mmCIF file of all heavy atoms in Angstrom:
data_model
loop_
_atom_site.group_PDB
_atom_site.id
_atom_site.type_symbol
_atom_site.label_atom_id
_atom_site.label_comp_id
_atom_site.label_asym_id
_atom_site.label_seq_id
_atom_site.Cartn_x
_atom_site.Cartn_y
_atom_site.Cartn_z
ATOM 1 N N ALA A 827 162.507 193.451 68.012
ATOM 2 C CA ALA A 827 163.092 192.908 66.794
ATOM 3 C C ALA A 827 164.566 192.522 66.992
ATOM 4 O O ALA A 827 165.042 191.597 66.287
ATOM 5 C CB ALA A 827 162.999 193.909 65.665
ATOM 6 N N LEU A 828 165.287 193.169 67.873
ATOM 7 C CA LEU A 828 166.690 192.816 68.149
ATOM 8 C C LEU A 828 166.899 192.727 69.645
ATOM 9 O O LEU A 828 166.295 193.506 70.408
ATOM 10 C CB LEU A 828 167.624 193.879 67.535
ATOM 11 C CG LEU A 828 167.760 193.930 66.025
ATOM 12 C CD1 LEU A 828 168.595 195.117 65.602
ATOM 13 C CD2 LEU A 828 168.334 192.650 65.493
ATOM 14 N N PRO A 829 167.767 191.844 70.073
ATOM 15 C CA PRO A 829 168.000 191.725 71.517
ATOM 16 C C PRO A 829 168.870 192.848 72.018
ATOM 17 O O PRO A 829 169.608 193.484 71.263
ATOM 18 C CB PRO A 829 168.771 190.359 71.622
ATOM 19 C CG PRO A 829 169.455 190.233 70.331
ATOM 20 C CD PRO A 829 168.558 190.876 69.319
ATOM 21 N N PRO A 830 168.829 193.151 73.320
ATOM 22 C CA PRO A 830 169.732 194.134 73.880
ATOM 23 C C PRO A 830 171.128 193.633 73.948
ATOM 24 O O PRO A 830 171.331 192.385 74.063
ATOM 25 C CB PRO A 830 169.127 194.399 75.270
ATOM 26 C CG PRO A 830 168.331 193.200 75.603
ATOM 27 C CD PRO A 830 167.853 192.650 74.281
ATOM 28 N N PRO A 831 172.137 194.482 73.895
ATOM 29 C CA PRO A 831 172.029 195.918 73.706
ATOM 30 C C PRO A 831 171.726 196.225 72.232
ATOM 31 O O PRO A 831 172.428 195.702 71.318
ATOM 32 C CB PRO A 831 173.367 196.466 74.096
ATOM 33 C CG PRO A 831 174.316 195.301 73.825
ATOM 34 C CD PRO A 831 173.543 194.042 74.114
ATOM 35 N N GLN A 832 170.720 197.033 71.989
ATOM 36 C CA GLN A 832 170.317 197.280 70.621
ATOM 37 C C GLN A 832 171.139 198.392 69.968
ATOM 38 O O GLN A 832 171.608 199.305 70.667
ATOM 39 C CB GLN A 832 168.823 197.676 70.599
ATOM 40 C CG GLN A 832 167.895 196.547 71.017
ATOM 41 C CD GLN A 832 166.418 196.985 70.952
ATOM 42 O OE1 GLN A 832 166.085 198.140 71.036
ATOM 43 N NE2 GLN A 832 165.543 195.987 70.794
ATOM 44 N N PRO A 833 171.289 198.331 68.641
ATOM 45 C CA PRO A 833 171.921 199.470 67.948
ATOM 46 C C PRO A 833 171.013 200.681 67.978
ATOM 47 O O PRO A 833 169.822 200.585 68.408
ATOM 48 C CB PRO A 833 172.078 198.952 66.520
ATOM 49 C CG PRO A 833 170.990 197.915 66.349
ATOM 50 C CD PRO A 833 170.876 197.267 67.700
ATOM 51 N N MET A 834 171.486 201.781 67.557
ATOM 52 C CA MET A 834 170.653 202.980 67.478
ATOM 53 C C MET A 834 169.434 202.694 66.621
ATOM 54 O O MET A 834 169.550 202.071 65.553
ATOM 55 C CB MET A 834 171.458 204.172 66.912
ATOM 56 C CG MET A 834 172.615 204.603 67.800
ATOM 57 S SD MET A 834 173.567 205.931 67.014
ATOM 58 C CE MET A 834 172.420 207.295 67.059
ATOM 59 N N GLY A 835 168.297 203.160 67.067
ATOM 60 C CA GLY A 835 167.053 202.961 66.313
ATOM 61 C C GLY A 835 166.801 204.100 65.351
ATOM 62 O O GLY A 835 165.945 204.951 65.650
ATOM 63 N N THR A 836 167.454 204.151 64.248
ATOM 64 C CA THR A 836 167.344 205.245 63.299
ATOM 65 C C THR A 836 166.913 204.730 61.915
ATOM 66 O O THR A 836 167.041 203.556 61.603
ATOM 67 C CB THR A 836 168.669 206.027 63.153
ATOM 68 O OG1 THR A 836 169.686 205.154 62.681
ATOM 69 C CG2 THR A 836 169.084 206.628 64.469
ATOM 70 N N ASP A 837 166.473 205.637 61.110
ATOM 71 C CA ASP A 837 165.818 205.322 59.856
ATOM 72 C C ASP A 837 166.670 204.434 58.963
ATOM 73 O O ASP A 837 166.213 203.380 58.486
ATOM 74 C CB ASP A 837 165.448 206.602 59.128
ATOM 75 C CG ASP A 837 164.517 206.390 57.967
ATOM 76 O OD1 ASP A 837 164.942 205.821 56.942
ATOM 77 O OD2 ASP A 837 163.347 206.835 58.057
ATOM 78 N N TYR A 838 167.892 204.841 58.681
ATOM 79 C CA TYR A 838 168.663 204.136 57.665
ATOM 80 C C TYR A 838 169.145 202.763 58.162
ATOM 81 O O TYR A 838 169.226 201.797 57.360
ATOM 82 C CB TYR A 838 169.865 204.993 57.232
ATOM 83 C CG TYR A 838 169.423 206.373 56.806
ATOM 84 C CD1 TYR A 838 170.095 207.484 57.281
ATOM 85 C CD2 TYR A 838 168.350 206.554 55.970
ATOM 86 C CE1 TYR A 838 169.708 208.774 56.917
ATOM 87 C CE2 TYR A 838 167.931 207.830 55.588
ATOM 88 C CZ TYR A 838 168.613 208.925 56.058
ATOM 89 O OH TYR A 838 168.192 210.208 55.727
ATOM 90 N N LEU A 839 169.416 202.613 59.452
ATOM 91 C CA LEU A 839 169.731 201.305 60.001
ATOM 92 C C LEU A 839 168.533 200.399 59.866
ATOM 93 O O LEU A 839 168.638 199.214 59.556
ATOM 94 C CB LEU A 839 170.166 201.405 61.444
ATOM 95 C CG LEU A 839 171.538 202.007 61.732
ATOM 96 C CD1 LEU A 839 171.837 201.937 63.218
ATOM 97 C CD2 LEU A 839 172.619 201.267 60.952
ATOM 98 N N VAL A 840 167.323 200.912 60.170
ATOM 99 C CA VAL A 840 166.116 200.077 60.106
ATOM 100 C C VAL A 840 165.826 199.691 58.641
ATOM 101 O O VAL A 840 165.496 198.538 58.349
ATOM 102 C CB VAL A 840 164.913 200.825 60.707
ATOM 103 C CG1 VAL A 840 163.622 200.098 60.427
ATOM 104 C CG2 VAL A 840 165.108 200.976 62.242
ATOM 105 N N GLN A 841 165.959 200.632 57.697
ATOM 106 C CA GLN A 841 165.775 200.260 56.293
ATOM 107 C C GLN A 841 166.749 199.175 55.899
ATOM 108 O O GLN A 841 166.378 198.238 55.139
ATOM 109 C CB GLN A 841 166.000 201.503 55.403
ATOM 110 C CG GLN A 841 164.899 202.511 55.400
ATOM 111 C CD GLN A 841 165.085 203.522 54.262
ATOM 112 O OE1 GLN A 841 165.278 203.148 53.109
ATOM 113 N NE2 GLN A 841 165.067 204.788 54.604
ATOM 114 N N ALA A 842 168.005 199.294 56.331
ATOM 115 C CA ALA A 842 169.045 198.298 55.931
ATOM 116 C C ALA A 842 168.717 196.930 56.468
ATOM 117 O O ALA A 842 168.715 195.959 55.762
ATOM 118 C CB ALA A 842 170.399 198.817 56.410
ATOM 119 N N TYR A 843 168.507 196.842 57.782
ATOM 120 C CA TYR A 843 168.348 195.550 58.448
ATOM 121 C C TYR A 843 167.064 194.874 58.118
ATOM 122 O O TYR A 843 166.988 193.657 58.019
ATOM 123 C CB TYR A 843 168.495 195.720 59.963
ATOM 124 C CG TYR A 843 168.459 194.458 60.739
ATOM 125 C CD1 TYR A 843 169.579 193.640 60.860
ATOM 126 C CD2 TYR A 843 167.268 193.966 61.293
ATOM 127 C CE1 TYR A 843 169.550 192.419 61.562
ATOM 128 C CE2 TYR A 843 167.214 192.772 61.975
ATOM 129 C CZ TYR A 843 168.366 192.001 62.094
ATOM 130 O OH TYR A 843 168.309 190.816 62.776
#
Side-chain angles (χ1 to χ4, degrees):
L828 289 174
Q832 293 181 336
M834 295 177 69
T836 60
D837 192 291
Y838 308 132
L839 287 183
V840 171
Q841 285 193 52
Y843 183 81

